[in-house]
Amino acid sequence: MIKAATKRPLENMPRRGSGSSMAGVDRNALERDRRLYMKELFSRLSFLLPSLAAKRSVTELLDQAITHIRQLGEKVEMLNKQKKQLHQGTGSGSTDNQDQTRGIRSCSSTVLTVRDVGSMLEVCMKIGSNKTFMLHQVIQVLEEEATQVASVSYSNIGGIIFCTIIAQAVSPRIGVETSTVHERLKELIF
């Protein structure tokens, strides 16, 4: 996490015409500290922006930051509109988007695919809202079939569960019998 920029107390810095002499204060050191502080802030800003070029001038950096912030604002507005349309089911949005949402809600059939990808196994499932789904049972079946789960992707959209599991064979030389895994998962899910 990027630490927040520290604010330097301005009241401690001497001011012109304040009556006190500036003889005790090294103006060059103050200006050097100010430049280093600004350089640190610009460096943090540069780190936060998507970058194509490693070196940018300060004006290019600020222009890119402004453009990026505007793009993010537009993206947030678009996503909020999509979210509102999905919650309402109807709206002023495109009919393609609405048809896709209705299509997801209307298809409640269960789909299971098991693919062998070298020493890896990919299990994709789409489970309708009328089925009870226990992810830990699916993982248990995979572990019993001599695989180790590497990653799990899980989404619930409109009451339909989409799940992708990537598992690696414990012994790549032996591999995994996909037909056995498919049959066991079929018994569990269907």
Side-chain angles (χ1 to χ4, degrees):
M1 176 176 244
I2 299 173
K3 59 183 178 177
T6 56
K7 294 184 181 179
R8 305 208 185 225
L10 296 175
E11 57 272 358
N12 294 342
M13 292 198 175
R15 307 200 188 278
R16 287 187 185 185
S18 62
S20 64
S21 75
M22 295 290 285
V25 178
D26 184 9
R27 289 184 187 181
N28 290 337
L30 286 173
E31 181 62 18
R32 184 176 53 244
D33 287 348
R34 185 192 68 80
R35 280 194 216 135
L36 287 172
Y37 178 67
M38 293 300 291
K39 184 177 179 180
E40 178 186 345
L41 291 176
F42 283 121
S43 174
R44 288 181 186 172
L45 180 61
S46 178
F47 177 76
L48 292 172
L49 294 175
S51 175
L52 298 176
K55 276 286 195 185
R56 294 179 283 222
S57 70
V58 171
T59 54
E60 289 172 338
L61 181 67
L62 292 174
D63 285 342
Q64 187 178 5
I66 291 168
T67 303
H68 186 66
I69 290 169
R70 284 183 182 149
Q71 289 172 346
L72 289 175
E74 291 169 0
K75 189 173 183 177
V76 166
E77 286 178 19
M78 179 193 66
L79 291 172
N80 282 335
K81 285 179 184 177
Q82 286 180 353
K83 181 180 175 183
K84 186 177 178 181
Q85 288 174 358
L86 288 173
H87 282 292
Q88 291 177 347
T90 60
S92 60
S94 70
T95 57
D96 291 340
N97 197 13
Q98 292 172 3
D99 289 343
Q100 288 174 354
T101 304
R102 284 191 201 111
I104 288 172
R105 288 185 184 148
S106 66
C107 62
S108 61
S109 63
T110 302
V111 177
L112 171 67
T113 59
V114 179
R115 266 187 354 159
D116 186 10
V117 187
S119 65
M120 303 291 279
L121 189 71
E122 180 185 54
V123 178
C124 297
M125 298 175 284
K126 182 188 90 171
I127 301 169
S129 58
N130 57 348
K131 297 285 183 185
T132 304
F133 176 68
M134 298 293 189
L135 183 60
H136 72 278
Q137 292 174 338
V138 173
I139 293 173
Q140 183 179 359
V141 167
L142 291 171
E143 288 176 347
E144 289 171 359
E145 291 296 326
T147 65
Q148 185 176 20
V149 174
S151 70
V152 177
S153 174
Y154 179 91
S155 298
N156 187 338
I157 301 173
I160 297 175
I161 297 169
F162 295 91
C163 183
T164 302
I165 301 172
I166 305 294
Q168 185 172 8
V170 173
S171 175
R173 212 174 68 200
I174 298 172
V176 180
E177 185 61 42
T178 55
S179 59
T180 307
V181 172
H182 187 271
E183 288 303 315
R184 289 193 62 195
L185 290 176
K186 196 173 175 182
E187 291 172 11
L188 181 68
I189 295 171
F190 290 99

